[in-house]
Amino acid sequence: MSGESFNPFRMAQQQFDGIAEQLTLDEATRTLLRVPDRELHFNIPIRMDDGSYKVFRGFRIQHNTARGPAKGGVRFHPQETVDTVRALAMWMTWKTALVDLPLGGGKGGVICDPHNLSMREQEALCRGWVRRIIEILGPESDVPAPDVMTSSQHMLWMLDEYEHLVGHRAPGAITGKPIGLGGSLGRTESTGYGVVFAVREALGELGLRIEDTTASVQGFGHVAQHVIDLLTSYGGTVTCVSSWDQKEQAAFCFRKKDGVQLKELRTITNSYGEISRAKAADAGYEVLPGDSWIEQDVEVLIPAALENQINRDTVKQIKDSVKIIAEGANGPTTPPADAVIKERGIWLIPDFLANSGGVTCSYFEQVQSNMNYYWTRDEVISKLDTKMTEAYYAVSQMARRRNIPMRDAAYMIAIARVAEACKLRGWV
Amino acid sequence: MLPRRAQIDEVTDLIEKSGVGGEVPKTHQLDFKDLMNFRINNILLVSSLYDYYTLVEDGQLTEAIFNEYSELNLHYAPHITRVNSGEAALRLLESQEFDLIISMLRLGDMDLASFCGNLKRQHPELPVVLLSFQSAEFDLYMKTADVSQFDNVFVWSGDRKLFLAIIKLLEDIRNAPVDCLEFGVRTILLVEDSPWFYSSYLPMIYAELIKQVQALIEEGKNFADKLLRQRARPKIFLASSYEEAMTLYRKYGSTLLGIIADMAFPCEGERDDLAGLKFSRTVREEYPELPILIQSSDTDLRLQIEQEGMTFADKNSRMLLQSLGDFMKDNFGFGDFIFRMPDGAEVTRARNLRELREKLRYIPDASLEFHAARDHFSNWLKARTRFELSNKLKPVKVSQFDSMDDLRTYLLKAISDHLIQDQKGVISDFARSEYDPEDTFLRIGAGSLGGKGRGLAFTDNLLRKYLAPDYFPGVRISIPRTIVLGTDVFAQFIEQNDLLPLAVQNISDQEILRAFLHADLPPTVLGDIRAILDKARFPLAVRSSSLLEDAMYQPFAGIYATIMIPNSSPDPSVRFHNLTQAIKYVFASTYFRRAKNYIEATANRIEEERMAVIIQEMVGEKHDRYFYPQISGVARSFNYYPFGKATQKDGVVNLALGLGKTIVDGGTSLQYSPAYPSVYPQFGTTRDLFHNSQLKFYTLDLESDIIRKYPREDQNLVHLDLAAAEEHGTLKYTASTYFGQDDRLYEGVSRSGPRILTFAPILKSEVIPLNQVITLLVNMCETAVNCPVEIEFAVKLGPDNAKPAEFSFLQLRPMVKQEGHLNVNFDDIDEEKILFQSEQTLGNGIKHIRDVVFVKPDSFDAMQTRAMVREINKINNELLSAKRPYLLIGPGRWGSSDPSLGIPVVFSDISGATAIVETSLPNMIIDPSQGSHFFQNLTSFRITYFTLRHYNEAHSIDWEWLNALEAIEETDHLRHVVAADDIEIIVDGQSGHGVVLKSNSIK
């Protein structure tokens, strides 16, 4: 990680301020939108397996609900900070607005390390989390979803606790549920597929054929894996992926110049997305330092892990061959790096467009759950493709027409929609 | 791709000799191979080593040029050879070929004039240019020497792009007579006498030109189209004097996009300070709207030039090159079409032709008139290589129209027609943002188009090249709008769902289907399928197009599924579901029992098969809740069973009312020879009329677009009586009426009486020249494919005396010709040895078998034919597995879908038979249906086919001998016997005489 001191919420506010200026939003609207509407910070005491009690800190932040119920994930992370969660909540507001979903933005978290918790302890955390904020949860108010280090199992525990407390079934209260228990087909791959749909359209606009394209992906979680899957299906080649090694507490890159083999990598990866270095080397992969993904000689870079990965230091390592950066993760690029990327003429697809496939599919899950009728996977993916393509084109058209970066164009569309909703509701 | 130019004449000859229809179009669709035939590939540079290193500091000139070409996505780069003297150059030219000589000023061994003189004497056609550094020596040389021997003189200023410009300039002038005068490629005329000036901005002009064209290249439908646009980019001419400019103008004036001229240059041997203005005014007399830029260092001339409607550029300005670039962009039709009002205010822009069409609908009348009156649309289209449309619009004047609305309507139609025509004969890659349901042939996904797909693409190409749309007045011939999912989609589907291990097993079709229907389609196509359905709101046929079908002699007729879907539900999810299910059904049919049996009978393996899927617009019209064409047909250029005066080579046609399933499934249809369209042998007697004419027809039920748990191939089809057709009004041109009192047939349905589908109004009265169309198309295809062919088609009749009719080409299949002549004298054969014989036999050669399977004649019951199918299928599979070919004997028409006409087997039920005998019964006298899939597969597998008439004694079968053979199996309806020695089957393909000889002994 670079030495640059990084506050994601400040970054998110900076981004908002710039756009608000361009949109000439009035003061009241700016004030309303640059901070979350509502924050809940709370303790979750749980009994550990060894009989002791431990108190965990959790939050749920609702940034804005003018366009619909708050939507956002719940993450378990030892380094979670409230500013991170605020930023993520804000980005969710913009994300749902950008893809034109009838939803607002929210995010939640618990400061913990699930690697060090048993399944029973994690279940207790999930149930405790719901109990502490039951008043603001529900299909019509706030709909959580999985996020970093939470899974469909966690969501199901949360849903079960919610339904127990409200006294009836409410499958639309939480998304990310397992298939067969209210989950939507296509959900797992939706974020990764969404990134590729956006990349596909961007390549088309640049006159590049996806079959002739190489890419480097940071991360090997769900998003990254499905990015690789679909990009390869389209005929593209992913030459480098990175993954975190929990034991070493460091990231490593795995490179194969004629293309990584997803099936092969999956066989040497654990449930947290950690690729075994030894087995990868045996399988003919070059094992490189964790930051190497960014300096690959490829046309497309896809950061699909954590925030703050492309910053003023690492941006210098990006090769001239890179034509597109598609932000599969949230906030991977800092504003100083953004400026460099813009100057170099690299086409950047901002996070809340590129990775909005996940929230789109979450929305599909809500719809199906609320109707208690579930679609085929083909139906889900085709609708996802259509939605992502439409969203991409809206942003791209604005960006080209006004000769502004895609991020700015995306923000303008999203913020304008949210601002309008607030005005129409009579809030400002 | 069809052969080019001279090689395509055999089809043109055929059409012209046919004497029907209109003229064969003299021009064909422009192809990139038509353009830029002269290319500079090898350059000889005559320069000292020092000069050479000055040109390129690191000495890598070839690589430098290569990089320039690569950046511009040009697919070749010329090679440069350097020699250091004139002598060396002349020597090298004796043994090597070059396309261009570039000579520096200092040659060392000889003076330039001598070098150039020698060169031109020995190689008069070889272009030579002088390249020099800007120096006093060069200035002096230019003042004193005669440089007219050089094709051009250039000054090196350090820009390597100059090489590109030199090459392009020389290629342009060489290619201009063909590219510009014949194909209408546009031109830009640069008039400048100073080598220093034009050497510095020619590279800029070319780079700007190619940059502008890049955007057009991206609009290319496919790679070949992109190459076309690259090669059809505007050409640049350079003139250095008034006389040169006038020469070029007189020759290429009509192709000019614009002129960039210096103000002062030589005229009549003397420098004329106003030559540029003089020249421009001459041009403006003929082309008042032609964009002209005049550059001069005298800024006082600006006002005058602008008042005359031209653009002024200050030669001394640091922004001169920028100004030139802007002028080109704004005036030469590159970039967006900018709609303006007469006062210059911008209204809107269109990036491409489709957007132009959309914006044209709404722009104000004043803007429309402004652009139309100045040929702006035509010029813009020309710059975008839309030559045909540009030429069509150019002569049209605003004054021809009563109103702006009429003009607008005319323009919109012209563009729409052009877009439709443009797509014909071209397989474009599907692009969601560009998708227009009017597009004729699109592809989604990589891989092969499959046999059917390729046949359709070929036919589309054939029609486009040889038949103008109005070749047959009142009849439009085309293929239906088609989208093909390439075989890679199938491969991905199988792989991602891990279906192959299950699919190749010996399990039921239902199990396979269930697994396939529950599997997921590749995510790479789902969004595209949804995008198709957003716009395509007409019934669709989802058809198989397999890789193995490609092989000439394996037609796979009727082996795989075809699903017809109404695509009519108001719920887009239902339509999406039904289309995706239909695609999966077709995929699944790759592994159905009939397909496995079929493939087993060929040299292929089921694992090799790949399936493309055709999603095609169905042909027909809506009648109440039903959809069907008035006519569907199959025409073959070779008739195995000619009747009357007709010969085999006259071919045979089957026509039916409604969907073609009637014909391809072997149902009753009208059959006739194209040489005798008024003769119907099947209607010999009154009884024949009613017995042998089509009584029911297939339609698509438009209200059946629902989600079904267990889909079937024919789930949306309905079999209706002729009475329904009468209600729909579709018998008017297809039926005749039987009038009992006269015992006669009358054309049409104006009288009351039983209706007989004779198609007499069309075949006899020729309300549309259908028979001529069929004859010509079949012959065209046969000529193009170089073997007999079968075509499937459907016809939609128009409301006004059947016009305008739409003839839709559905499929083209090569036929396997049963060739050969066996030198056998049948008279010499001992009659005692004959099991049976016929002079109506299909096939050729000698075969040997031991197994015979026959339908027990004494207990034959026409009501039990379906049960017989199951028994035959079982025995067939056993014998197929044991690799024992057999002889199959049974009554009626084998393979008929109508169980009352014969045993309704499909090909896979009898695929192990090497010979089939069709016997007639007193109540079952059926001719083979040559239009059916069954028949097609029989002939392609060279299965011998005997027809025996029960009333012909010579056709009798020695049943006693057969029944005495050892019985392997006996079922309710069949008997399977085996002979101890070979039974010989002998057929003379030429005479049609066949005989089956008993084996020597009886076991």
Side-chain angles (χ1 to χ4, degrees), chain B residues 342-355:
Chain B
D343 63 2
E346 182 176 322
V347 178
T348 185
R349 290 176 178 230
R351 285 179 306 168
N352 52 47
L353 187 56
R354 285 184 202 270
E355 270 190 32

Side-chain angles (χ1 to χ4, degrees), chain A residues 191-398:
Chain A
T191 309
Y193 278 13
V195 174
V196 177
F197 291 144
V199 168
R200 177 195 68 201
E201 296 306 314
L203 285 170
E205 283 189 329
L206 294 176
L208 298 170
R209 285 157 44 96
I210 202 165
E211 301 91 320
D212 302 332
T213 299
T214 53
S216 174
V217 180
Q218 188 198 26
F220 199 63
H222 288 310
V223 174
Q225 288 186 34
H226 288 107
V227 163
I228 296 167
D229 180 24
L230 189 57
L231 204 54
T232 314
S233 294
Y234 272 118
T237 307
V238 176
T239 58
C240 180
V241 304
S242 78
S243 91
W244 179 257
D245 187 319
Q246 176 68 4
K247 197 170 155 205
E248 300 290 325
Q249 287 291 302
F252 293 92
C253 282
F254 303 88
R255 182 170 69 184
K256 221 183 223 187
K257 290 231 168 131
D258 57 357
V260 305
Q261 298 299 315
L262 183 63
K263 274 191 185 144
E264 183 180 56
L265 285 175
R266 274 175 169 159
T267 63
I268 56 174
T269 303
N270 67 16
S271 58
Y272 293 105
E274 298 169 8
I275 300 173
S276 158
R277 279 185 296 143
K279 288 179 183 167
D282 285 344
Y285 289 84
E286 296 173 71
V287 182
L288 305 168
D291 284 345
S292 306
W293 72 276
I294 205 173
E295 59 196 32
Q296 298 305 306
D297 214 343
V298 292
E299 286 82 30
V300 183
L301 289 179
I302 303 176
L306 290 171
E307 56 273 358
N308 191 31
Q309 301 303 299
I310 307 179
N311 49 53
R312 67 158 62 92
D313 297 321
T314 60
V315 74
K316 295 172 198 162
Q317 294 158 31
I318 296 177
K319 290 276 192 290
D320 288 342
S321 60
V322 172
K323 305 279 186 294
I324 293 172
I325 297 174
E327 294 183 330
N330 289 321
T333 313
T334 61
D338 242 346
V340 173
I341 287 165
K342 178 184 167 185
E343 202 183 296
R344 287 178 58 176
I346 298 173
W347 192 251
L348 184 137
I349 308 173
D351 47 7
F352 63 118
L353 172 60
N355 70 26
S356 58
V359 74
T360 304
C361 207
S362 272
Y363 167 65
F364 291 161
E365 181 182 335
Q366 264 183 275
V367 169
Q368 294 167 77
S369 291
N370 289 336
M371 283 169 42
N372 214 19
Y373 176 80
Y374 293 87
W375 306 338
T376 62
R377 182 181 178 273
D378 287 348
E379 175 110 23
V380 172
I381 301 296
S382 69
K383 284 182 163 153
L384 175 69
D385 188 337
T386 305
K387 210 92 177 98
M388 291 297 303
T389 306
E390 281 170 3
Y392 177 87
Y393 272 114
V395 176
S396 172
Q397 272 198 342
M398 174 167 287

Side-chain angles (χ1 to χ4, degrees), chain B residues 589-601:
Chain B
S589 71
T590 312
Y591 301 101
F592 285 172
R593 175 50 39 201
R594 63 179 187 241
K596 283 175 172 150
N597 283 352
Y598 189 96
I599 287 179
E600 226 168 295

